[in-house]
Amino acid sequence: MPALFSMFRPARRQFDDLSAQEVLSLAILAEEEDGRIYAAYAANLAKDYPASAAMFDAMAAEENEHRSALLDLYVRRFGPTIIPIRREHVEGFYARKPLWLVKSLPLERARADAADMERQAEAFYRLAASRSTDAETRKLLGDLAAAEAKHERKALSLEGELTTGDEGKAEQDQAKRQFVLTWVQPGLAGLMDGSVSTLAPIFATAFATQNPWTTFLIGLSASIGAGISMGFTEAAHDDGKLSGRGSPWKRGLASGVMTTIGGLGHALPYLIPHFWTATAIALCVVFVELWVIVWIQNRFMETPIGRAMFQIILGGLLVLATGILIGGA
């Protein structure tokens, strides 16, 4: 079977088999791509993280300078026609994320990826320089390797400066706020809904039937149904453009998944065939779920611990008691 697939897969060149012309072509196109990636980072971060955006703009400009130097050397040696060889044509050559994906990377990931990109580019230039027999080409590739190493250190040092300086602290605060708005807030709402709203139907079924399997099926359907409903509701009611709450599909995913988890937490124990054992474990799970919600509210939403306990634990216990009373009636 692997041999069959290999028949339809484009052949990839070994780096050692590339000619000097092909190596320079590869370097030119790689610098162009890296420059576009850094420009995309800058555009994505410009509104909320101007200091980091300026760093990426500067790196994009430096990549363009590298491309110009390589292009000048190529034209002098081989003429104006660039061989269309790309990273994916060379076996084992480092890859880059698609441009549409890098545009949506969060701040910390973008900074870390930039340092990694520079490290990979340095390794490429050092290897290419070691294979070159032309003195001018060898010198340029060696200089570019040193420049990429310097850029990697610069990216890491700038990251440190941006983390500790006033601008960096402001950006870190903004990143934290965005994380809370996009992931924590809808996820917490989903967890609360899944954990609390499913208590009554699950425990009402449990005490009405005393059948663990039936209770599990009711809990499973209630949890998944609530998750789907919460996820679509969160994604549909706010596109995030005016509210600044971030991507609707991210918020919908967080809300839907956490809603489902919240309900499944006290439904899964009813896979145990012994009713009272399953119920005892389910009640313990409910207690843990409610305390987790209290901790998240206190940790990320800065809700005073007393108020969070009153709202969540008291409300959850009332819903739980309602389900038990109705089921046992």
Side-chain angles (χ1 to χ4, degrees):
M1 187 63 71
L4 178 62
F5 283 116
S6 66
M7 295 173 58
F8 300 97
R9 186 174 59 198
R12 304 182 75 182
R13 302 281 301 281
Q14 296 294 324
F15 184 79
D16 288 341
D17 296 333
L18 299 181
S19 66
Q21 185 178 8
E22 290 171 328
V23 169
L24 281 178
S25 296
L26 181 63
I28 292 168
L29 295 173
E31 291 288 352
E32 289 178 352
E33 186 176 1
D34 284 357
R36 287 194 296 269
I37 289 174
Y38 291 144
Y41 284 154
N44 181 52
L45 299 171
K47 180 180 178 181
D48 297 323
Y49 311 109
S52 292
M55 178 190 79
F56 285 116
D57 274 330
M59 294 178 72
E62 290 172 346
E63 296 302 304
N64 187 57
E65 293 176 2
H66 295 174
R67 182 193 62 83
S68 296
L70 288 164
L71 189 58
D72 289 343
L73 175 62
Y74 183 96
V75 170
R76 288 197 300 273
R77 291 195 61 191
F78 304 110
T81 303
I82 305 295
I83 297 176
I85 184 170
R86 300 185 180 277
R87 306 177 200 269
E88 58 268 24
H89 299 158
V90 180
E91 189 71 33
F93 199 72
Y94 59 86
R96 295 286 188 252
K97 295 180 178 68
L99 193 59
W100 62 267
L101 181 59
V102 303
K103 289 181 179 180
S104 60
L105 285 180
L107 174 63
E108 294 303 322
R109 182 69 179 276
R111 289 176 179 171
D113 278 7
D116 194 46
M117 287 169 62
E118 297 298 317
R119 179 188 58 77
Q120 292 173 337
E122 177 198 358
F124 162 62
Y125 284 127
R126 291 199 184 282
L127 179 60
S130 68
R131 295 180 61 250
S132 177
T133 57
D134 177 75
E136 184 181 14
T137 303
R138 190 183 186 100
K139 181 180 183 305
L140 176 59
L141 294 175
D143 290 344
L144 289 176
E148 299 293 356
K150 181 179 178 181
H151 295 161
E152 180 188 3
R153 293 191 295 272
K154 179 180 179 181
L156 293 173
S157 65
L158 278 175
E159 181 178 353
E161 293 172 9
L162 291 172
T163 301
T164 56
D166 291 338
E167 290 182 332
K169 289 179 180 178
E171 290 191 353
Q172 296 296 329
D173 290 341
Q174 172 62 23
K176 180 181 177 180
R177 286 193 297 271
Q178 194 62 57
F179 174 75
V180 170
L181 288 173
T182 303
W183 294 105
V184 176
Q185 196 175 71
L188 177 61
L191 184 61
M192 291 173 62
D193 185 83
S195 298
V196 177
S197 68
T198 59
L199 287 174
I202 289 176
F203 283 94
T205 302
F207 280 85
T209 66
Q210 295 199 8
N211 186 315
W213 180 246
T214 300
T215 304
F216 169 72
L217 292 179
I218 295 296
L220 180 66
S221 60
S223 302
I224 295 177
I228 294 172
S229 175
M230 284 288 289
F232 275 100
T233 300
E234 178 63 41
H237 90 278
D238 179 11
D239 63 8
K241 293 180 179 178
L242 293 178
S243 66
R245 296 180 64 220
S247 168
W249 73 264
K250 291 180 180 178
R251 300 193 329 268
L253 180 66
S255 181
V257 170
M258 295 307 292
T259 300
T260 303
I261 290 174
L264 285 178
H266 44 267
L268 289 175
Y270 284 99
L271 287 171
I272 300 172
H274 189 272
F275 171 73
W276 289 110
T277 301
T279 300
I281 295 175
L283 289 171
C284 291
V285 170
V286 169
F287 181 77
V288 172
E289 288 173 345
L290 296 179
W291 272 107
V292 168
I293 294 172
V294 169
W295 179 83
I296 294 174
Q297 277 204 324
N298 177 255
R299 171 68 175 80
F300 292 100
M301 311 304 293
E302 299 181 357
T303 304
I305 190 71
R307 185 194 304 173
M309 290 173 59
F310 179 79
Q311 293 174 342
I312 302 303
I313 295 180
L314 179 60
L317 291 178
L318 288 174
V319 175
L320 175 62
T322 300
I324 293 174
L325 289 173
I326 292 175

